[in-house]
Amino acid sequence: MLKNLFRKKSVSKILADAQKGYGDHEPSLHKTLGVRDLTAFGIAAIIGAGIFSTIGKASADGGPAVIFLFMFTAIACSFAAFAYAEFASMVPVSGSAYTYSYVAFGELVAWIIGWSLIMEYAIGNITVAISWSDYFTGLLSSIKIPAIGINGIHVPDWASMDYLTAYNGHQHAEALINAGKSMANLDEPTRIAANAWNTAPQIGSFHFVADIPALAIIIFITWLVYRGMKESRNASNAMVIVKLAVILLVLAVGVFYVDTENWNPFAPNGVSGVLKGVSAVFFAYIGFDAISTTAEECKDPQRDLPKGMMWAIIICTILYIAIALVLTGIVKYSTLAVGDPLAYVFDQIDLKLMSGIIAVSAVFAMASVLLVFQMGQPRIWMSMSRDGLLPKSFSKIHPKYKTPSFSTIVVGFVVAVPSLFMNLTTVTDLCSIGTLFAFVLVCAGVLVLQNRPDVQRGKFKIPYVNAKFVAPLLFLGGLVIAFTQFKTETMGFITNEAKALNPVSFVTSLDTRELQIVKTEISTSPVVLQGKQIDAEAYLSNLTPEQYDNFLSKSAIDYHKKYESGWHLFKHKIPMWIFFIICVIITYLSIAKNLSLIPVLGLTSCLYMMCELELSNWIGFGIWLVVGLIVYFTYGYKHSKLARDESGSLVH
């Protein structure tokens, strides 16, 4: 049985199947895409939530130096893109990383990667649908036509927010109000979430909170993708032209308002501040690999896919860096932690028309990302179905539209239903970890196949540089920097030194009795905030780090309520220990096996970003993979087409 789990598909077999069609799965897909179309799809997927939303938070954390994080992420994605391009040239069929893993590692790993890709495309689209809803409702509320009495079209908060955000916001607001904060002094996202919960229609004790605009856009995009690749391509190209035009307009106008004083200091929070935005910035690049799912619809995939991926990453990186410099040049970096940074910046310099144009373009930008992701997931399922790992209906091609019709409809349901109630942060992080896992395996797949003489090569091959001379130097250099430039942080990491909870986490974790103790301690402190009612969170947040540490050390509250230590602290470091151990293994293999440098760098840089994500995301991803393995062993293992080809009958 163990041997059957890692049975591999040969490149020649895949190409032969693609050449003659897929038996039960005729007719084939339309070949309509060239380099320009693929580059446009890549730009459509990449330029969306990143440039219109997450770039603000990343800039607030890292200052103008966030451009270096964009460069680092682009380089990491480029390494992964080289690996994707080599596989796409070698195996020019739909399936992306799933098909590539089938060739390199065998069936079980292929299933795992195919299952994890659902996190990138389907769960990633839930994220984008929620973001699109936020921009769309914001745009509606800004519409003012005095002549006919329209002063903004306001969608109720409970009809434009997911259930979990509203519930969590309500709970968080209650905790802060108990700590002395008034509703008016709550941060805006918490206040809106609490209002959504409190004003929602109720059925018994159930609050009806659902993101209706997110549902509507998913239904529309699913219909568009169902209709055909040509229609999807035309819509994508049109939306890309609109948002590129707006971004160039932003740069052309914004550059005249840049004050270079705002770039000083360039890295206000140091390297740690820049790296704090890893997850947000990486999410800005997710999507370039979706191009590889369209391989069967390319006119010349072996030539065009590598070019399309590289051009998309290069163009988007230049735009990201330019936008980051303009944003941090117009206003102070610390003010950019908002959901719509581009519109916000032009609001600050009183260019209301530009803010309106940006809001409209953001709606188009998000829609184009939805389109590409919604197009990618059905083609992954189609490939898995062709291999017998999913039921035949998933590879059914519509006789008229030539699209994987059943898979497209199922993806519509998979994205639409959770978008009504799932939390944005949760799905963003799950999307990132699933995508990075795919990138790591694709880079590893290139390394596994690099010296296999039986593998048929495509037109594109990653330039070979021997990693045995570079990887050890990089590893040792990283250790030297860690123990010299960041000695305090490194030793704290190794010794698992206790860490103080931030003021918000500390205050919201206290019960009524403990809160009263803290308020009493605050009232006797040398510096007390003005006002009769003590706002514990505001007081503690306004203290310097030294004052805050001093307050905690003297407070009568239980130690474990003030500090994170022991296992509770160590468990969050597990992903980074995994990264360190794998780096040791990769360095050894680079020396012993003469590994190729570019995929080695792709594997380690993507793994690093994966390990920057919280342990809770790893646990969630692990649970998702366990569910996938149950599906595989109850259906896929028994119905694998490769098993039939090898034995002439089903494997039992």
Side-chain angles (χ1 to χ4, degrees):
M1 179 180 175
L2 188 61
K3 181 183 177 183
N4 291 333
L5 292 177
F6 297 98
R7 52 198 170 211
K8 297 181 176 70
K9 293 181 75 173
S10 67
V11 175
S12 57
K13 178 73 168 64
I14 294 173
L15 296 178
D17 284 345
Q19 189 69 32
K20 65 185 181 184
Y22 288 86
D24 298 337
H25 309 294
E26 292 274 21
S28 60
L29 305 177
H30 275 164
K31 294 184 178 294
T32 58
L33 304 177
V35 174
R36 186 177 62 183
D37 301 315
L38 292 168
T39 304
F41 273 136
I43 295 171
I46 296 171
I47 294 184
I51 208 160
F52 287 97
S53 180
T54 58
I55 194 173
K57 181 66 169 65
S59 298
D61 289 332
V66 75
I67 63 169
F68 296 121
L69 183 55
F70 279 112
M71 291 177 190
F72 169 75
T73 308
I75 291 168
C77 288
S78 296
F79 291 147
F82 269 112
Y84 267 94
E86 178 163 324
F87 267 122
S89 178
M90 189 191 307
V91 194
V93 297
S94 290
S96 185
Y98 159 75
T99 302
Y100 309 155
S101 296
Y102 219 143
V103 173
F105 300 110
E107 187 169 283
L108 180 62
V109 178
W111 169 267
I112 290 172
I113 200 68
W115 188 255
S116 70
L117 281 174
I118 297 173
M119 285 193 147
E120 175 178 0
Y121 296 114
I123 293 183
N125 246 4
I126 296 169
T127 307
V128 182
I130 295 170
S131 297
W132 183 92
S133 173
D134 291 343
Y135 274 97
F136 183 68
T137 52
L139 180 62
L140 289 179
S141 66
S142 68
I143 295 174
K144 292 178 173 60
I145 311 175
I148 57 175
I150 295 178
N151 188 29
I153 302 170
H154 299 283
V155 179
D157 291 334
W158 59 265
S160 58
M161 181 176 293
D162 62 277
Y163 184 91
L164 288 177
T165 295
Y167 175 75
N168 292 337
H170 164 71
Q171 296 287 97
H172 189 57
E174 279 199 339
L176 289 175
I177 289 170
N178 289 337
K181 194 175 284 292
S182 67
M183 179 66 83
N185 287 332
L186 294 174
D187 61 278
E188 189 176 5
T190 301
R191 190 170 63 251
I192 292 172
N195 182 61
W197 182 263
N198 294 329
T199 59
Q202 288 183 246
I203 304 171
S205 60
F206 177 77
H207 292 242
F208 183 81
V209 182
D211 200 333
I212 306 301
L215 175 66
I217 189 63
I218 287 298
I219 292 172
F220 171 72
I221 293 293
T222 301
W223 170 80
L224 191 61
V225 172
Y226 182 88
R227 286 295 302 270
M229 176 58 77
K230 188 176 180 182
E231 289 76 7
S232 301
R233 178 196 66 188
N234 293 341
S236 171
N237 288 349
M239 287 186 276
V240 165
I241 290 170
V242 169
K243 64 183 175 183
L244 284 183
V246 170
I247 289 168
L248 292 175
L249 178 63
V250 166
L251 293 173
V253 174
V255 72
F256 293 103
Y257 292 87
V258 168
D259 179 358
T260 54
E261 285 298 312
N262 288 328
W263 288 341
N264 186 28
F266 199 73
N269 300 315
V271 176
S272 60
V274 174
L275 290 176
K276 196 174 178 182
V278 161
S279 182
V281 169
F282 174 72
F283 188 75
Y285 280 93
I286 285 178
F288 77 85
D289 58 311
I291 299 172
S292 64
T293 67
T294 66
E296 279 181 52
E297 290 140 296
C298 296
K299 295 171 185 174
D300 187 352
Q302 293 188 318
R303 183 198 68 188
D304 296 347
L305 276 170
K307 289 183 178 179
M309 284 187 204
M310 294 304 175
W311 275 119
I313 290 175
I314 291 168
I315 291 170
C316 292
T317 301
I318 293 170
L319 292 175
Y320 278 149
I321 291 171
I323 286 287
L325 287 174
V326 167
L327 290 184
T328 54
I330 295 175
V331 299
K332 200 67 179 172
Y333 71 92
S334 56
T335 65
L336 285 170
V338 294
D340 52 348
L342 268 69
Y344 167 80
V345 161
F346 284 98
D347 245 358
Q348 296 303 298
I349 55 176
D350 209 28
L351 292 179
K352 305 293 184 186
L353 178 61
M354 282 294 293
S355 292
I357 293 171
I358 289 165
V360 173
S361 69
V363 170
F364 280 100
M366 298 291 184
S368 68
V369 177
L370 283 167
L371 177 67
V372 177
F373 277 25
Q374 205 71 356
M375 189 176 63
Q377 184 59 62
R379 284 154 179 79
I380 301 288
W381 280 348
M382 179 185 71
S383 295
M384 296 172 79
S385 175
R386 285 171 171 175
D387 295 327
L389 303 185
L390 287 175
K392 284 185 179 180
S393 50
F394 280 90
S395 53
K396 182 181 178 182
I397 305 296
H398 195 284
K400 179 180 178 182
Y401 301 131
K402 302 293 189 287
T403 58
S405 49
F406 179 78
S407 290
T408 300
I409 292 171
V410 173
V411 171
F413 277 104
V414 168
V415 176
V417 175
S419 68
L420 294 171
F421 62 85
M422 281 193 77
N423 180 278
L424 181 63
T425 304
T426 302
V427 290
T428 301
D429 288 341
L430 285 174
C431 174
S432 294
I433 198 167
T435 306
L436 286 165
F437 183 66
F439 287 7
V440 166
L441 277 188
V442 170
C443 292
V446 171
L447 295 174
V448 168
L449 296 181
Q450 74 171 32
N451 295 320
R452 284 249 303 264
D454 58 322
V455 174
Q456 183 177 336
R457 302 289 169 182
K459 295 179 182 177
F460 178 84
K461 194 172 187 303
I462 296 174
Y464 177 77
V465 178
N466 196 333
K468 77 184 298 180
F469 303 110
V470 181
L473 289 176
L474 291 175
F475 181 73
L476 292 173
L479 289 178
V480 169
I481 292 171
F483 282 99
T484 54
Q485 302 298 314
F486 305 99
K487 184 177 180 180
T488 303
E489 295 90 338
T490 302
M491 293 308 298
F493 179 87
I494 294 172
T495 59
N496 205 38
E497 184 180 332
K499 186 179 177 183
L501 292 175
N502 66 58
V504 174
S505 299
F506 171 58
V507 167
T508 54
S509 70
L510 303 177
D511 59 30
T512 307
R513 183 188 63 82
E514 291 167 332
L515 268 173
Q516 193 54 52
I517 292 172
V518 169
K519 288 181 181 180
T520 303
E521 291 172 341
I522 289 173
S523 66
T524 60
S525 295
V527 182
V528 182
L529 296 181
Q530 296 297 314
K532 293 181 180 179
Q533 186 176 6
I534 293 175
D535 183 341
E537 184 273 327
Y539 172 82
L540 295 175
S541 295
N542 283 330
L543 296 178
T544 65
E546 292 77 14
Q547 289 173 330
Y548 180 59
D549 287 341
N550 187 48
F551 178 88
L552 287 185
S553 66
K554 294 179 179 178
S555 175
I557 300 298
D558 183 71
Y559 180 87
H560 297 293
K561 284 283 185 93
K562 299 184 293 184
Y563 299 96
E564 202 171 20
S565 60
W567 166 250
H568 293 291
L569 179 61
F570 177 77
K571 66 183 181 183
H572 298 297
K573 299 177 179 179
I574 291 174
M576 202 50 70
W577 279 112
I578 291 173
F579 172 73
F580 178 75
I581 291 167
I582 291 179
C583 279
V584 172
I585 295 170
I586 289 295
T587 302
Y588 166 74
L589 291 176
S590 295
I591 298 169
K593 303 289 186 181
N594 296 317
L595 298 181
S596 177
L597 180 63
I598 289 177
V600 163
L601 294 176
L603 189 157
T604 50
S605 56
C606 290
L607 183 65
Y608 171 76
M609 289 191 286
M610 190 175 174
C611 293
E612 280 287 334
L613 296 172
E614 291 289 333
L615 179 66
S616 57
N617 300 312
W618 284 67
I619 294 171
F621 183 55
I623 293 170
W624 177 254
L625 290 184
V626 169
V627 173
L629 290 174
I630 292 171
V631 174
Y632 172 71
F633 284 111
T634 54
Y635 183 89
Y637 179 75
K638 297 178 181 178
H639 294 83
S640 168
K641 186 181 175 185
L642 189 59
R644 285 188 228 159
D645 292 343
E646 290 177 352
S647 64
S649 61
L650 285 175
V651 175
H652 293 287

